[in-house]
Amino acid sequence: MSDPVGFKLWSFTGKIKILHLSWMAFFITFVVWFNHAPLLAVIGDSLGLSSSEIKTLLILNVALTIPARVLIGMLTDKYGPKLTYSVILFFCSIPCFMFAFAENFEQAAIARFLLGFIGAGFVIGIRMVSEWFPANELGTAEGIYGGWGNFGSAAGAMSLPAIALFFGGEDGWRYAIALSGLLSLIFSFIWYFNVTDTPKGSTYFKPKQTGAMEVTSVGDFWLLLVMKLPMYGALALLTWKLSPSGVGMLSDTMAALAYLSLVALYIVELKQTYKVNSHVFSKPVDEIHQYKFKQVAVLNILYFATFGSELAVISMLPLFFAEVFSLDMVYAGLLASLYAFMNLMSRPGGGWLSDKFGRKKTLLILTAGLAIGYFAMSSINSSWPLILAVLTVMACSFFVQAGEGAVFAAVPLIKRRLTGQIAGMTGAYGNVGAVVYLTVLSMVEYQTFFIVIALTAVVGFITLLFMEEPQGTITEVREDGSLELINVS
């Protein structure tokens, strides 16, 4: 762990250099991941897509990120952020190019489904930043990483329509999206040759076993299995949406096979989880090595409501403004980008507030605020002055994104060697929320959609009452067998 030598944000050396390169990598993943959102109307016209097919693309875009974040979390813990981020930036440029040159719904759908993998990049930087910053700066650093990186979706919303217009013609959108893929490809090399996994002389702690998350009690083992279910449920929901009951992209037989595959995968994961954690049933884990999985479970639920709603809202907000206020898509995209624009300050703000006033207290206030914010958004209609609607959206956005910053101010303080996996699972819950919310959106009016999000935030507030404030130290074992105590308060 690097020593706190001041937070000189505008320097480009040491831990600050790592922070800047980390948010840049994350920024690029979000530009690529949501490069379709501000161009949906043009893409729909170009490919002849129906409204239902457009909404299906939105769901497909976030579906694969659910298992991808869990997998990438494990790979990050095992191989380190340097290699893992480089690989994901390099290979995810390929489906980006595929989408840019798609000729029909099926090709676009496959490409968007594969592009969900780039959304897992976020997890990698969480582990990288936690290696370089001490506990008293970690919330702020993770908030800057998440907020400035998350701004990639807003930057894309503001710039990609203009780039498409610059190229002009009915293929302008293709060039704009292809350029974002090229940016990802180039930065994969910049990242690899400019970062290290830890400061010089520090130990990179790896999980004792890979293949499943470690827990340290019998009760936590069962809670882990329960918390896995919503991730499979979200994938089952996606399968239903693609079946003949939804858009008909899958036949009844293919849908049935997908359901059976999800059941089989859960059984395999159950066995693997038991294999990794069977020792907790025969011998208690030493107290100094224990951690409470309920901390992870609470953060999962909060991220479902915060990041899940953000993913869903930034996907649909340009269409919402265009339809409710009869705006053209370029103007609607610019207004909608203000929701994500708030990430620049609100997510770092949430991390900073957590550093100053405590993780739990900050999360309670922010979760209450986002519930109120979405209830307010549910009442927006064409009779509202446009400026008031935009201000309401931005106010709600502050609480949503500050809440995300506060969640990931707590994630790295649970168990260092499992930070990638914990971040992966919590991040995956954000995508579970997005799939659920976007599926709800495909069946109800905008107002009901916002009310559903607000109600889940209320549930998150209730579960947050069971969270414990991180205090003291967490213990990790070096390769030579000696112990290292890492401060978390």
Side-chain angles (χ1 to χ4, degrees), residues 272-283:
Q272 184 64 27
T273 303
Y274 179 77
K275 181 181 177 182
V276 169
N277 295 291
S278 58
H279 61 279
V280 302
F281 289 90
S282 56
K283 181 183 178 181

Side-chain angles (χ1 to χ4, degrees), residues 153-454:
S153 62
M158 289 185 286
S159 63
L160 290 173
I163 293 171
L165 286 172
F166 172 78
F167 283 104
E170 61 181 31
D171 288 334
W173 68 271
R174 297 182 186 275
Y175 294 112
I177 285 176
L179 275 177
S180 67
L182 182 62
L183 184 63
S184 178
L185 184 63
I186 292 170
F187 200 81
S188 67
F189 294 97
I190 294 174
W191 171 266
Y192 186 81
F193 291 109
N194 285 278
V195 304
T196 57
D197 289 330
T198 64
K200 188 176 181 179
S202 296
T203 302
Y204 188 81
F205 293 105
K206 299 180 180 181
K208 296 175 182 176
Q209 300 185 64
T210 56
M213 187 180 291
E214 297 172 32
V215 291
T216 54
S217 73
V218 174
D220 284 352
F221 173 82
W222 296 114
L223 180 57
L224 172 59
L225 294 183
V226 170
M227 294 304 292
K228 290 281 185 182
L229 287 172
M231 292 191 280
Y232 286 89
L235 293 172
L237 189 62
L238 173 66
T239 302
W240 171 80
K241 184 64 181 173
L242 297 177
S243 73
S245 301
V247 297
M249 189 175 170
L250 300 178
S251 66
D252 283 324
T253 302
M254 291 174 67
L257 286 172
Y259 292 132
L260 288 173
S261 297
L262 289 173
V263 173
L265 282 171
Y266 181 74
I267 293 171
V268 168
E269 186 161 15
L270 189 155
K271 289 181 177 179
Q272 184 64 27
T273 303
Y274 179 77
K275 181 181 177 182
V276 169
N277 295 291
S278 58
H279 61 279
V280 302
F281 289 90
S282 56
K283 181 183 178 181
V285 175
D286 291 341
E287 187 174 349
I288 62 169
H289 295 303
Q290 290 182 12
Y291 79 96
K292 295 181 180 179
F293 184 75
K294 74 172 184 180
Q295 301 283 84
V296 182
V298 170
L299 295 174
N300 290 350
I301 294 166
L302 291 175
Y303 213 59
F304 180 106
T306 54
F307 189 62
S309 68
E310 181 184 354
L311 284 182
V313 171
I314 63 176
S315 297
M316 56 72 72
L317 207 54
L319 282 175
F320 173 76
F321 275 123
E323 292 180 11
V324 173
F325 295 100
S326 302
L327 306 175
D328 69 76
M329 281 306 297
V330 173
Y331 188 38
L334 285 172
L335 289 179
S337 70
L338 293 173
Y339 181 95
F341 184 86
M342 294 294 291
N343 265 305
L344 281 173
M345 295 304 299
S346 47
R347 191 156 181 163
W352 180 81
L353 289 169
S354 293
D355 285 343
K356 293 295 181 183
F357 303 108
R359 318 297 176 187
K360 183 174 180 177
K361 184 190 299 182
T362 301
L363 279 167
L364 283 167
I365 294 169
L366 295 175
T367 305
L370 77 92
I372 295 169
Y374 277 120
F375 277 125
M377 284 180 68
S378 72
S379 63
I380 294 175
N381 56 50
S382 58
S383 67
W384 279 45
L386 181 58
I387 183 63
L388 181 58
V390 170
L391 289 174
T392 301
V393 167
M394 291 180 70
C396 179
S397 174
F398 167 79
F399 287 102
V400 171
Q401 291 149 11
E404 294 164 8
V407 166
F408 274 92
V411 162
L413 303 179
I414 297 174
K415 198 65 177 168
R416 172 56 57 81
R417 71 175 182 271
L418 303 178
T419 296
Q421 292 179 68
I422 294 170
M425 189 175 192
T426 301
Y429 258 78
N431 288 85
V432 171
V435 170
V436 171
Y437 294 142
L438 287 170
T439 303
V440 169
L441 176 63
S442 69
M443 297 185 289
V444 301
E445 299 297 318
Y446 291 124
Q447 286 71 25
T448 306
F449 165 74
F450 291 128
I451 289 173
V452 168
I453 298 175

